[in-house]
Amino acid sequence: MKTLTVSVVTPDGPVLEDSFEMVSCKAESGELGILPGHIPLVAPLTISAVRLKNGNDSKRLAVSGGFLEVRPEKVTILAQSAETPSDINVERAKEAKSRAEQRLQSKQDDIDFQRAELALKRAMNRLDIVG
Amino acid sequence: MASLRDIKTKIDSTKKMKQITKAMEMVSASKMNRAEENVHSFLPYSEKIQEVVASIAQSSKNIDNPMLNSRDVKKTGYLVITSDRGLAGAYNSSVLRKLHQTIKEKHNSTDEYVIIVAGRVGYEYFKKRNMPIVKSVLGLADQPNFADIKELASETVQMYINEEIDELNIYYNHYISVISQQVTSKKLLPLTNLQEGTVSGSQYEYEPDQEEILEVLLPQYAESLIYGALLDGKASEHAARMTAMRSASDNADEIIGDLTLSYNRARQAAITQEITEIIGGVAALE
């Protein structure tokens, strides 16, 4: 089966570079599945899990603040953070989650509210992937 | 002339000082190597994001994104990257002096500009002079992660989007080589030089559309530029500190040499004097 090269890059360095048969991820406009030979595409990603499939194997990554660049044989995911399940610090994510929840409940001004919401999303996403 | 004992104490203390500067030199050397690696591992990200941003900016001429358009400058933002600790030679003073001069030339009152500062040295410098610091990040790690600077970067970009500032300039030391770092000032926002970048020529489909992608992408791009400057600055900091410590060690060597010479001279003088006294004594007896 045909494969495409996937590389995941963050400001702290490359996270992963390998061949996969399919990439599926959640863009701002909805779920996207990329197979080899896809037309060139750019789409921003939500804070979500990216699934990389190879036969029956599949890998999951938690990404936030990223976007996806697709070329026929290559997919590049640029994200401000991208973590494999083994990189995720569960304790920290749990702490971040409870902190964000507290903040959301104490209803402060809009900016803090938005920020807490984003933090909560990131934490839940991480826990989801480890989960 | 100082006594023998005084000179001896001085030699000993200079030797101790040299041990410390030598150790700091080696610590900085290893930190500098790490910092250089960080700069290299950041390169793929920055190149890619620049490529994508440039290709979108070029393929669509009539984009109306505030981050790309210049507007009348009522308030300027200055972002300056300094270190938290001293003993880095001219690292901090040169970048601070340059920024201070620019501000003095361009602005008459403190209402016309704001300063965003990374590093304690810069923070105290501007605070002492009562200049408006709106944001600061202190105690950055020697090998900072993107997460460490993310908040500062995104808040700064947000200030521009909210029109609290109308342009953003960044001041930092650019790392050229171990012995040479150059104070660099760059205009970060609005992003004006996107059209210059090299483009791979591939045309993309945009999902949902170009403008919405730019809305997400440009802040990320600006943040990545800030992070890149920080990494560059950190590499320069360690290089500057290493060079400063090396010249301090060299200096200590020189002082030890001089002192040893005068120590020997003083010792010889004392011996000569003693002999003269004895001979004088003997001559008096005859």
Side-chain angles (χ1 to χ4, degrees), chain A residues 78-120:
Chain A
L78 289 171
Q80 299 198 322
S81 81
E83 291 148 312
T84 55
S86 55
D87 289 339
I88 293 172
N89 186 335
V90 180
E91 285 304 309
R92 215 178 118 188
K94 274 185 187 153
E95 269 169 35
K97 187 183 168 202
S98 59
R99 208 169 32 213
E101 278 168 348
Q102 267 174 18
R103 252 186 231 153
L104 285 178
Q105 256 146 32
S106 64
K107 277 187 195 154
Q108 286 160 338
D109 55 79
D110 284 346
I111 298 167
D112 275 354
F113 195 80
Q114 276 176 13
R115 215 189 279 163
E117 220 171 1
L118 285 176
L120 183 64

mmCIF file of all heavy atoms in Angstrom, chain A residues 78-120:
data_model
loop_
_atom_site.group_PDB
_atom_site.id
_atom_site.type_symbol
_atom_site.label_atom_id
_atom_site.label_comp_id
_atom_site.label_asym_id
_atom_site.label_seq_id
_atom_site.Cartn_x
_atom_site.Cartn_y
_atom_site.Cartn_z
ATOM 1 N N LEU A 78 2.637 21.352 11.663
ATOM 2 C CA LEU A 78 3.369 22.335 12.455
ATOM 3 C C LEU A 78 2.496 22.688 13.638
ATOM 4 O O LEU A 78 1.361 23.109 13.457
ATOM 5 C CB LEU A 78 3.612 23.594 11.629
ATOM 6 C CG LEU A 78 4.614 23.497 10.498
ATOM 7 C CD1 LEU A 78 4.573 24.746 9.665
ATOM 8 C CD2 LEU A 78 5.998 23.291 11.049
ATOM 9 N N ALA A 79 3.024 22.496 14.834
ATOM 10 C CA ALA A 79 2.194 22.777 16.001
ATOM 11 C C ALA A 79 3.034 23.434 17.067
ATOM 12 O O ALA A 79 4.241 23.242 17.122
ATOM 13 C CB ALA A 79 1.586 21.496 16.529
ATOM 14 N N GLN A 80 2.362 24.221 17.915
ATOM 15 C CA GLN A 80 3.120 24.847 19.003
ATOM 16 C C GLN A 80 3.475 23.793 20.042
ATOM 17 O O GLN A 80 4.482 23.895 20.709
ATOM 18 C CB GLN A 80 2.317 25.991 19.599
ATOM 19 C CG GLN A 80 2.063 27.042 18.516
ATOM 20 C CD GLN A 80 1.671 28.373 19.067
ATOM 21 O OE1 GLN A 80 0.945 28.449 20.041
ATOM 22 N NE2 GLN A 80 2.117 29.436 18.436
ATOM 23 N N SER A 81 2.637 22.780 20.172
ATOM 24 C CA SER A 81 3.080 21.632 20.952
ATOM 25 C C SER A 81 2.478 20.369 20.353
ATOM 26 O O SER A 81 1.364 20.381 19.838
ATOM 27 C CB SER A 81 2.709 21.776 22.424
ATOM 28 O OG SER A 81 1.382 21.406 22.618
ATOM 29 N N ALA A 82 3.242 19.291 20.372
ATOM 30 C CA ALA A 82 2.767 17.998 19.884
ATOM 31 C C ALA A 82 3.419 16.933 20.748
ATOM 32 O O ALA A 82 4.627 16.928 20.913
ATOM 33 C CB ALA A 82 3.138 17.809 18.424
ATOM 34 N N GLU A 83 2.600 16.069 21.318
ATOM 35 C CA GLU A 83 3.161 15.072 22.230
ATOM 36 C C GLU A 83 2.612 13.681 21.942
ATOM 37 O O GLU A 83 1.428 13.529 21.653
ATOM 38 C CB GLU A 83 2.815 15.428 23.677
ATOM 39 C CG GLU A 83 3.512 16.655 24.170
ATOM 40 C CD GLU A 83 2.665 17.413 25.169
ATOM 41 O OE1 GLU A 83 1.470 17.632 24.870
ATOM 42 O OE2 GLU A 83 3.171 17.771 26.212
ATOM 43 N N THR A 84 3.487 12.703 22.024
ATOM 44 C CA THR A 84 3.038 11.313 21.952
ATOM 45 C C THR A 84 2.579 10.927 23.358
ATOM 46 O O THR A 84 2.954 11.566 24.336
ATOM 47 C CB THR A 84 4.192 10.395 21.531
ATOM 48 O OG1 THR A 84 5.273 10.607 22.438
ATOM 49 C CG2 THR A 84 4.667 10.704 20.135
ATOM 50 N N PRO A 85 1.775 9.857 23.469
ATOM 51 C CA PRO A 85 1.274 9.489 24.797
ATOM 52 C C PRO A 85 2.389 9.346 25.834
ATOM 53 O O PRO A 85 2.213 9.718 26.992
ATOM 54 C CB PRO A 85 0.586 8.149 24.556
ATOM 55 C CG PRO A 85 0.156 8.215 23.135
ATOM 56 C CD PRO A 85 1.185 9.026 22.425
ATOM 57 N N SER A 86 3.548 8.848 25.403
ATOM 58 C CA SER A 86 4.609 8.644 26.395
ATOM 59 C C SER A 86 5.246 9.956 26.859
ATOM 60 O O SER A 86 5.879 10.010 27.907
ATOM 61 C CB SER A 86 5.683 7.725 25.818
ATOM 62 O OG SER A 86 6.147 8.261 24.610
ATOM 63 N N ASP A 87 5.082 11.021 26.057
ATOM 64 C CA ASP A 87 5.653 12.315 26.453
ATOM 65 C C ASP A 87 4.768 13.075 27.422
ATOM 66 O O ASP A 87 5.187 14.051 28.024
ATOM 67 C CB ASP A 87 5.838 13.214 25.218
ATOM 68 C CG ASP A 87 6.953 12.722 24.333
ATOM 69 O OD1 ASP A 87 7.796 11.984 24.864
ATOM 70 O OD2 ASP A 87 6.961 13.067 23.148
ATOM 71 N N ILE A 88 3.518 12.650 27.514
ATOM 72 C CA ILE A 88 2.564 13.461 28.266
ATOM 73 C C ILE A 88 2.737 13.232 29.761
ATOM 74 O O ILE A 88 2.818 12.097 30.229
ATOM 75 C CB ILE A 88 1.123 13.137 27.820
ATOM 76 C CG1 ILE A 88 0.927 13.610 26.381
ATOM 77 C CG2 ILE A 88 0.119 13.805 28.745
ATOM 78 C CD1 ILE A 88 -0.372 13.194 25.774
ATOM 79 N N ASN A 89 2.802 14.318 30.470
ATOM 80 C CA ASN A 89 2.902 14.261 31.914
ATOM 81 C C ASN A 89 1.476 14.275 32.486
ATOM 82 O O ASN A 89 0.818 15.311 32.517
ATOM 83 C CB ASN A 89 3.703 15.474 32.388
ATOM 84 C CG ASN A 89 3.973 15.434 33.858
ATOM 85 O OD1 ASN A 89 3.229 14.803 34.611
ATOM 86 N ND2 ASN A 89 5.014 16.111 34.277
ATOM 87 N N VAL A 90 1.017 13.095 32.915
ATOM 88 C CA VAL A 90 -0.386 12.963 33.310
ATOM 89 C C VAL A 90 -0.696 13.838 34.523
ATOM 90 O O VAL A 90 -1.717 14.535 34.563
ATOM 91 C CB VAL A 90 -0.724 11.495 33.616
ATOM 92 C CG1 VAL A 90 -2.174 11.355 34.030
ATOM 93 C CG2 VAL A 90 -0.451 10.644 32.397
ATOM 94 N N GLU A 91 0.208 13.803 35.487
ATOM 95 C CA GLU A 91 -0.015 14.589 36.710
ATOM 96 C C GLU A 91 -0.222 16.063 36.362
ATOM 97 O O GLU A 91 -1.140 16.718 36.837
ATOM 98 C CB GLU A 91 1.206 14.463 37.632
ATOM 99 C CG GLU A 91 1.299 13.134 38.348
ATOM 100 C CD GLU A 91 0.034 12.838 39.142
ATOM 101 O OE1 GLU A 91 -0.367 13.724 39.915
ATOM 102 O OE2 GLU A 91 -0.564 11.751 38.958
ATOM 103 N N ARG A 92 0.655 16.550 35.498
ATOM 104 C CA ARG A 92 0.606 17.957 35.161
ATOM 105 C C ARG A 92 -0.680 18.296 34.423
ATOM 106 O O ARG A 92 -1.302 19.330 34.674
ATOM 107 C CB ARG A 92 1.817 18.300 34.292
ATOM 108 C CG ARG A 92 2.331 19.689 34.573
ATOM 109 C CD ARG A 92 3.532 19.972 33.742
ATOM 110 N NE ARG A 92 3.223 21.096 32.856
ATOM 111 C CZ ARG A 92 4.024 21.484 31.887
ATOM 112 N NH1 ARG A 92 5.151 20.862 31.668
ATOM 113 N NH2 ARG A 92 3.692 22.494 31.127
ATOM 114 N N ALA A 93 -1.063 17.403 33.526
ATOM 115 C CA ALA A 93 -2.284 17.651 32.768
ATOM 116 C C ALA A 93 -3.484 17.664 33.708
ATOM 117 O O ALA A 93 -4.390 18.492 33.573
ATOM 118 C CB ALA A 93 -2.460 16.580 31.699
ATOM 119 N N LYS A 94 -3.480 16.746 34.703
ATOM 120 C CA LYS A 94 -4.594 16.722 35.657
ATOM 121 C C LYS A 94 -4.651 18.005 36.461
ATOM 122 O O LYS A 94 -5.714 18.579 36.677
ATOM 123 C CB LYS A 94 -4.433 15.524 36.601
ATOM 124 C CG LYS A 94 -5.024 14.251 36.015
ATOM 125 C CD LYS A 94 -4.958 13.128 37.016
ATOM 126 C CE LYS A 94 -5.386 11.823 36.363
ATOM 127 N NZ LYS A 94 -4.778 10.672 37.021
ATOM 128 N N GLU A 95 -3.476 18.445 36.888
ATOM 129 C CA GLU A 95 -3.430 19.697 37.645
ATOM 130 C C GLU A 95 -3.948 20.854 36.811
ATOM 131 O O GLU A 95 -4.742 21.665 37.280
ATOM 132 C CB GLU A 95 -1.987 20.004 38.065
ATOM 133 C CG GLU A 95 -1.618 19.455 39.413
ATOM 134 C CD GLU A 95 -0.113 19.570 39.640
ATOM 135 O OE1 GLU A 95 0.477 20.565 39.176
ATOM 136 O OE2 GLU A 95 0.448 18.648 40.262
ATOM 137 N N ALA A 96 -3.470 20.892 35.561
ATOM 138 C CA ALA A 96 -3.888 21.981 34.677
ATOM 139 C C ALA A 96 -5.390 21.950 34.493
ATOM 140 O O ALA A 96 -6.056 22.986 34.450
ATOM 141 C CB ALA A 96 -3.194 21.860 33.335
ATOM 142 N N LYS A 97 -5.935 20.732 34.417
ATOM 143 C CA LYS A 97 -7.376 20.598 34.199
ATOM 144 C C LYS A 97 -8.147 21.157 35.388
ATOM 145 O O LYS A 97 -9.075 21.952 35.223
ATOM 146 C CB LYS A 97 -7.721 19.126 33.993
ATOM 147 C CG LYS A 97 -9.149 18.919 33.586
ATOM 148 C CD LYS A 97 -9.468 17.442 33.472
ATOM 149 C CE LYS A 97 -10.967 17.272 33.360
ATOM 150 N NZ LYS A 97 -11.374 15.936 33.766
ATOM 151 N N SER A 98 -7.738 20.757 36.601
ATOM 152 C CA SER A 98 -8.509 21.225 37.755
ATOM 153 C C SER A 98 -8.341 22.732 37.950
ATOM 154 O O SER A 98 -9.265 23.430 38.325
ATOM 155 C CB SER A 98 -8.117 20.458 39.019
ATOM 156 O OG SER A 98 -6.766 20.614 39.270
ATOM 157 N N ARG A 99 -7.148 23.235 37.632
ATOM 158 C CA ARG A 99 -6.926 24.668 37.761
ATOM 159 C C ARG A 99 -7.833 25.442 36.802
ATOM 160 O O ARG A 99 -8.463 26.431 37.160
ATOM 161 C CB ARG A 99 -5.459 24.976 37.447
ATOM 162 C CG ARG A 99 -4.926 26.192 38.149
ATOM 163 C CD ARG A 99 -3.438 26.280 38.009
ATOM 164 N NE ARG A 99 -3.006 25.720 36.737
ATOM 165 C CZ ARG A 99 -1.874 25.086 36.548
ATOM 166 N NH1 ARG A 99 -1.049 24.912 37.519
ATOM 167 N NH2 ARG A 99 -1.547 24.587 35.375
ATOM 168 N N ALA A 100 -7.883 24.926 35.571
ATOM 169 C CA ALA A 100 -8.707 25.594 34.567
ATOM 170 C C ALA A 100 -10.172 25.544 34.953
ATOM 171 O O ALA A 100 -10.912 26.517 34.796
ATOM 172 C CB ALA A 100 -8.489 24.944 33.206
ATOM 173 N N GLU A 101 -10.596 24.408 35.509
ATOM 174 C CA GLU A 101 -12.005 24.291 35.909
ATOM 175 C C GLU A 101 -12.354 25.279 37.006
ATOM 176 O O GLU A 101 -13.405 25.921 36.970
ATOM 177 C CB GLU A 101 -12.287 22.851 36.370
ATOM 178 C CG GLU A 101 -12.537 21.922 35.201
ATOM 179 C CD GLU A 101 -12.520 20.458 35.611
ATOM 180 O OE1 GLU A 101 -12.086 20.155 36.746
ATOM 181 O OE2 GLU A 101 -12.918 19.627 34.790
ATOM 182 N N GLN A 102 -11.432 25.398 37.957
ATOM 183 C CA GLN A 102 -11.667 26.371 39.034
ATOM 184 C C GLN A 102 -11.819 27.770 38.473
ATOM 185 O O GLN A 102 -12.716 28.520 38.856
ATOM 186 C CB GLN A 102 -10.474 26.378 39.980
ATOM 187 C CG GLN A 102 -10.647 25.445 41.154
ATOM 188 C CD GLN A 102 -9.373 25.390 41.968
ATOM 189 O OE1 GLN A 102 -8.528 26.282 41.847
ATOM 190 N NE2 GLN A 102 -9.238 24.362 42.776
ATOM 191 N N ARG A 103 -10.933 28.084 37.547
ATOM 192 C CA ARG A 103 -10.964 29.431 36.985
ATOM 193 C C ARG A 103 -12.253 29.693 36.229
ATOM 194 O O ARG A 103 -12.808 30.770 36.274
ATOM 195 C CB ARG A 103 -9.777 29.628 36.053
ATOM 196 C CG ARG A 103 -8.798 30.556 36.700
ATOM 197 C CD ARG A 103 -7.689 30.894 35.800
ATOM 198 N NE ARG A 103 -6.452 30.653 36.522
ATOM 199 C CZ ARG A 103 -5.318 30.345 35.949
ATOM 200 N NH1 ARG A 103 -5.256 30.218 34.645
ATOM 201 N NH2 ARG A 103 -4.249 30.160 36.664
ATOM 202 N N LEU A 104 -12.708 28.665 35.534
ATOM 203 C CA LEU A 104 -13.935 28.831 34.761
ATOM 204 C C LEU A 104 -15.112 29.070 35.692
ATOM 205 O O LEU A 104 -16.038 29.808 35.373
ATOM 206 C CB LEU A 104 -14.192 27.587 33.905
ATOM 207 C CG LEU A 104 -13.314 27.456 32.677
ATOM 208 C CD1 LEU A 104 -13.610 26.173 31.948
ATOM 209 C CD2 LEU A 104 -13.523 28.631 31.742
ATOM 210 N N GLN A 105 -15.062 28.416 36.862
ATOM 211 C CA GLN A 105 -16.178 28.576 37.774
ATOM 212 C C GLN A 105 -16.179 29.943 38.451
ATOM 213 O O GLN A 105 -17.223 30.499 38.734
ATOM 214 C CB GLN A 105 -16.140 27.469 38.826
ATOM 215 C CG GLN A 105 -17.204 26.420 38.516
ATOM 216 C CD GLN A 105 -16.742 25.043 38.913
ATOM 217 O OE1 GLN A 105 -16.004 24.904 39.873
ATOM 218 N NE2 GLN A 105 -17.177 24.024 38.190
ATOM 219 N N SER A 106 -14.979 30.488 38.669
ATOM 220 C CA SER A 106 -14.936 31.753 39.407
ATOM 221 C C SER A 106 -15.218 32.950 38.507
ATOM 222 O O SER A 106 -15.076 34.091 38.926
ATOM 223 C CB SER A 106 -13.585 31.915 40.084
ATOM 224 O OG SER A 106 -12.592 31.999 39.089
ATOM 225 N N LYS A 107 -15.626 32.711 37.285
ATOM 226 C CA LYS A 107 -16.069 33.749 36.335
ATOM 227 C C LYS A 107 -15.368 35.093 36.444
ATOM 228 O O LYS A 107 -15.856 36.029 37.063
ATOM 229 C CB LYS A 107 -17.572 33.970 36.505
ATOM 230 C CG LYS A 107 -18.358 32.937 35.731
ATOM 231 C CD LYS A 107 -19.819 33.259 35.766
ATOM 232 C CE LYS A 107 -20.610 32.030 35.323
ATOM 233 N NZ LYS A 107 -21.938 31.994 35.857
ATOM 234 N N GLN A 108 -14.220 35.159 35.827
ATOM 235 C CA GLN A 108 -13.518 36.438 35.801
ATOM 236 C C GLN A 108 -13.790 37.104 34.473
ATOM 237 O O GLN A 108 -14.752 36.762 33.802
ATOM 238 C CB GLN A 108 -12.019 36.219 36.017
ATOM 239 C CG GLN A 108 -11.729 35.878 37.454
ATOM 240 C CD GLN A 108 -10.387 35.202 37.593
ATOM 241 O OE1 GLN A 108 -9.869 34.642 36.639
ATOM 242 N NE2 GLN A 108 -9.847 35.228 38.789
ATOM 243 N N ASP A 109 -12.938 38.050 34.110
ATOM 244 C CA ASP A 109 -13.208 38.751 32.849
ATOM 245 C C ASP A 109 -12.974 37.839 31.637
ATOM 246 O O ASP A 109 -12.508 36.720 31.753
ATOM 247 C CB ASP A 109 -12.373 40.031 32.747
ATOM 248 C CG ASP A 109 -10.907 39.738 32.925
ATOM 249 O OD1 ASP A 109 -10.297 39.280 31.963
ATOM 250 O OD2 ASP A 109 -10.397 39.929 34.045
ATOM 251 N N ASP A 110 -13.305 38.363 30.494
ATOM 252 C CA ASP A 110 -13.360 37.543 29.278
ATOM 253 C C ASP A 110 -12.040 36.885 28.907
ATOM 254 O O ASP A 110 -12.009 35.727 28.517
ATOM 255 C CB ASP A 110 -13.807 38.407 28.097
ATOM 256 C CG ASP A 110 -15.290 38.651 28.167
ATOM 257 O OD1 ASP A 110 -15.932 37.931 28.960
ATOM 258 O OD2 ASP A 110 -15.782 39.534 27.459
ATOM 259 N N ILE A 111 -10.954 37.654 29.028
ATOM 260 C CA ILE A 111 -9.674 37.135 28.557
ATOM 261 C C ILE A 111 -9.260 35.930 29.381
ATOM 262 O O ILE A 111 -8.878 34.889 28.861
ATOM 263 C CB ILE A 111 -8.585 38.228 28.619
ATOM 264 C CG1 ILE A 111 -8.989 39.363 27.694
ATOM 265 C CG2 ILE A 111 -7.249 37.664 28.225
ATOM 266 C CD1 ILE A 111 -8.189 40.606 27.881
ATOM 267 N N ASP A 112 -9.395 36.070 30.705
ATOM 268 C CA ASP A 112 -9.043 34.956 31.571
ATOM 269 C C ASP A 112 -9.932 33.761 31.294
ATOM 270 O O ASP A 112 -9.510 32.625 31.340
ATOM 271 C CB ASP A 112 -9.171 35.367 33.033
ATOM 272 C CG ASP A 112 -7.912 36.044 33.508
ATOM 273 O OD1 ASP A 112 -6.951 36.052 32.716
ATOM 274 O OD2 ASP A 112 -7.901 36.548 34.635
ATOM 275 N N PHE A 113 -11.183 34.068 31.015
ATOM 276 C CA PHE A 113 -12.149 33.013 30.741
ATOM 277 C C PHE A 113 -11.740 32.231 29.504
ATOM 278 O O PHE A 113 -11.670 31.009 29.508
ATOM 279 C CB PHE A 113 -13.521 33.653 30.541
ATOM 280 C CG PHE A 113 -14.652 32.670 30.598
ATOM 281 C CD1 PHE A 113 -15.121 32.232 31.824
ATOM 282 C CD2 PHE A 113 -15.230 32.186 29.435
ATOM 283 C CE1 PHE A 113 -16.162 31.325 31.879
ATOM 284 C CE2 PHE A 113 -16.265 31.281 29.490
ATOM 285 C CZ PHE A 113 -16.743 30.841 30.711
ATOM 286 N N GLN A 114 -11.403 32.989 28.458
ATOM 287 C CA GLN A 114 -10.980 32.331 27.215
ATOM 288 C C GLN A 114 -9.730 31.497 27.425
ATOM 289 O O GLN A 114 -9.616 30.374 26.940
ATOM 290 C CB GLN A 114 -10.664 33.378 26.152
ATOM 291 C CG GLN A 114 -11.878 33.844 25.409
ATOM 292 C CD GLN A 114 -11.527 34.948 24.437
ATOM 293 O OE1 GLN A 114 -10.350 35.187 24.161
ATOM 294 N NE2 GLN A 114 -12.534 35.618 23.931
ATOM 295 N N ARG A 115 -8.816 32.096 28.183
ATOM 296 C CA ARG A 115 -7.549 31.405 28.380
ATOM 297 C C ARG A 115 -7.763 30.113 29.168
ATOM 298 O O ARG A 115 -7.190 29.074 28.856
ATOM 299 C CB ARG A 115 -6.588 32.328 29.133
ATOM 300 C CG ARG A 115 -5.183 32.136 28.668
ATOM 301 C CD ARG A 115 -4.243 32.873 29.533
ATOM 302 N NE ARG A 115 -4.166 34.281 29.195
ATOM 303 C CZ ARG A 115 -3.656 35.198 29.999
ATOM 304 N NH1 ARG A 115 -3.216 34.877 31.185
ATOM 305 N NH2 ARG A 115 -3.599 36.449 29.631
ATOM 306 N N ALA A 116 -8.620 30.190 30.165
ATOM 307 C CA ALA A 116 -8.899 29.010 30.973
ATOM 308 C C ALA A 116 -9.566 27.934 30.125
ATOM 309 O O ALA A 116 -9.276 26.749 30.258
ATOM 310 C CB ALA A 116 -9.783 29.388 32.159
ATOM 311 N N GLU A 117 -10.434 28.405 29.241
ATOM 312 C CA GLU A 117 -11.121 27.455 28.382
ATOM 313 C C GLU A 117 -10.122 26.698 27.500
ATOM 314 O O GLU A 117 -10.213 25.482 27.347
ATOM 315 C CB GLU A 117 -12.119 28.216 27.506
ATOM 316 C CG GLU A 117 -13.419 27.480 27.342
ATOM 317 C CD GLU A 117 -14.449 28.347 26.660
ATOM 318 O OE1 GLU A 117 -14.145 29.507 26.307
ATOM 319 O OE2 GLU A 117 -15.562 27.845 26.463
ATOM 320 N N LEU A 118 -9.192 27.469 26.942
ATOM 321 C CA LEU A 118 -8.169 26.847 26.091
ATOM 322 C C LEU A 118 -7.309 25.881 26.899
ATOM 323 O O LEU A 118 -7.001 24.771 26.453
ATOM 324 C CB LEU A 118 -7.281 27.903 25.460
ATOM 325 C CG LEU A 118 -7.906 28.676 24.305
ATOM 326 C CD1 LEU A 118 -6.958 29.752 23.832
ATOM 327 C CD2 LEU A 118 -8.236 27.730 23.163
ATOM 328 N N ALA A 119 -6.944 26.307 28.118
ATOM 329 C CA ALA A 119 -6.115 25.451 28.961
ATOM 330 C C ALA A 119 -6.850 24.154 29.269
ATOM 331 O O ALA A 119 -6.263 23.063 29.257
ATOM 332 C CB ALA A 119 -5.756 26.185 30.249
ATOM 333 N N LEU A 120 -8.143 24.282 29.530
ATOM 334 C CA LEU A 120 -8.951 23.100 29.828
ATOM 335 C C LEU A 120 -8.972 22.161 28.627
ATOM 336 O O LEU A 120 -8.792 20.953 28.756
ATOM 337 C CB LEU A 120 -10.376 23.527 30.190
ATOM 338 C CG LEU A 120 -11.315 22.396 30.597
ATOM 339 C CD1 LEU A 120 -10.817 21.747 31.870
ATOM 340 C CD2 LEU A 120 -12.732 22.899 30.795
#
